[in-house]
Amino acid sequence: MNAPRDEMELKEEAIREHYAAAANLLSGLDHTPRLAKAEAVAAPSERSPGIGTRPRFRSTTPGLVTRSTARPEGVRLIERIEAVGGDDPITSPAQAAVMQSLRRALAIALAVGEMFSAQTGLSELKKANLEGRLPDARRAEFSELLAAEALVTLSVFANATAFLLAPHATEQTVEIGTVEEVLTDNAQLALHGALWELDQDIAVFGTDEARMVASVLAYAEQLTENVRLRAETAPRLGAFTGANYRIEADDFPIAGFAPSRKARGTALVMAFKKPEEVVGNHIAKYQAMRLAKMLMAYDFERKLNPFAELGGFIFTFMGDGKPGTGKTTLIQMMAGLLDGYCRVAEYPFRYQNLSIENVDSYQGKSGQNAKAFIRNVMDPAVIGFGTIDDIDQIAGKRGDRQSSAGQQEITAVLMESFSGANTVVRGNCSFGMFSNYPENVDDALRQRAGARFLVDGPQTREDYIDILALLLGKNHSIPLGDHDLYAAQEIKRAVAESFERHSRPLEDGLENVFDRVRDEIGELDTMAKLGTYLKAIQAADERFTGRAIKNITDAVKVRAMDFELPDEWMEEPELFLFKDYETKKAMIGELRRPITVEMVVQEINRYADSEFRYADKSDEAAIENAVREMRRMEEAKRRYLEGKAP
């Protein structure tokens, strides 16, 4: 990726020249805290007798003589990081990621500080001061430039740390309080103070690796904001704020004191589909389109989506249907919509698919792959869309002897992530599970899908004409005939008709329950009658539990949000996306519809239909397997008896 024309590239060689100095800073330095008070113990002691500590880094700023009468404290960040998580002598991936990110961030900060010093003439003033020939008339300028360089160096260090470490963030968060040891005498002292306070925060808050990463990120964000506020009134910063830089290797932009995006999206290589290219599947298409716009309402400052607070947000959904009915096309459509919306708003978008390749033969590796997938999609600094295609092959049924240990690990991770004690639904991401054989998915995992998308493909004569015309393209002269092309795909009309079909159940087993209950108590028009219907469904299918009721009520709330966010809100972000959280919430609240009995009955039938459909298929598959096994035993018995005959 080449830097835009208004950005200057910071050469990699200039950064790597500072790797040794950055490593020394992390290995050991002495610092006397001036503004903050120590809350943690000193740097970790030696790991074992005979192994000395790393040398402490005592640097001097050219042209300056620094004195301190207080007792300095040793800061050894590498040892502090290595001590997190126990006595394991092998550095873990998380520890390595933190150390590498900090070294890289320090090197970038030193390189930018050096560039700033050269551009402003500070380098010459340092040299003159060192040689004792700095004119008195320029001492005030010298002090102001030193303070400016300190602010620049601190800002770049904090910004780069947050940017580089963001891909390793988890759902864990830490509140570290206000950053205090922000010194602006000179750049070197400023970094010493920053590393001293970071060491303190890791010691106090970084009790495990996840909290250590969270502590470093929290510190970097707090330092960025503190420095930005100071820079608003500081002089002589024009050389830094007037130019934009980019580090090509990291794709890291530096635009003054503004924080860079704390997370990066993924460059999608996918054949996107437009909504009109999805024929049939009206409800699934409509809900996917609405969900894409719902995700865009996420507020990066509050780390919350108004839809998640008001109700009606689809965090997980199950898309099922026969092979060839359009599940992949639906994924391509939704990913394409999100990618386009995020490009307009300049939001980071991340799409990931958990595939059969993530099932590993090594114990624990499949679970790690699934956790990494969940963590990347749920990253609160991105808009995320995660898919699990052919989930019946990837996640095994508990108790199924044919499921591998890796498949069982993935099932456990998905169940905990989708509806576990620590699951936080912020509204920045959604997960779609797709299967041709949902009856083979673990019952408890399947019920963690809050919404059901029946992907049944083209159904009507009009659908088949539309899909034929679409796939043939334009390289023919065959007349269309008596048909209004794509009129049947007009989404609002098609969806209304599709929902109306669920006023009665579609599955035979559920239809019997529905008719029996209505014969006994009449129309389902009160809470009591609706509850009676739900209990009758549970009596017919014991898997219809309280979680099913929650999924139904969530689906009803989605129907209450049954409105399209205007396309212009996505095309012109200032109209909605860039509004503050409370304004967006109020704008959405004005569009919300009241819940009706018809909505509730339709959503009960839609959900229960899917469960009866899965149960019928599962039972039929079990019967077929039993019959096949009986036939095998009969054949084996016949051959055995024939072999014993004289």
Side-chain angles (χ1 to χ4, degrees), residues 471-529:
L471 296 179
L472 278 179
K474 297 181 179 180
N475 188 28
H476 65 82
S477 58
I478 303 172
L480 179 61
D482 184 18
H483 177 69
D484 188 0
L485 192 62
Y486 303 136
Q489 311 312 317
E490 200 278 312
I491 195 69
K492 290 184 179 178
R493 189 186 77 182
V495 167
E497 293 174 355
S498 296
F499 278 128
E500 185 64 31
R501 285 193 297 133
H502 290 284
S503 294
R504 283 188 57 83
L506 302 180
E507 295 294 315
D508 292 341
L510 182 61
E511 188 176 26
N512 293 334
V513 176
F514 181 78
D515 289 338
R516 177 168 52 81
V517 171
R518 283 215 312 175
D519 289 343
E520 292 175 0
I521 63 175
E523 290 297 325
L524 307 179
D525 53 7
T526 68
M527 285 283 190
K529 291 180 179 180

Side-chain angles (χ1 to χ4, degrees), residues 581-592:
Y581 179 83
E582 295 299 333
T583 301
K584 285 191 285 190
K585 181 179 172 182
M587 293 171 72
I588 292 169
E590 290 177 0
L591 299 173
R592 188 162 46 172

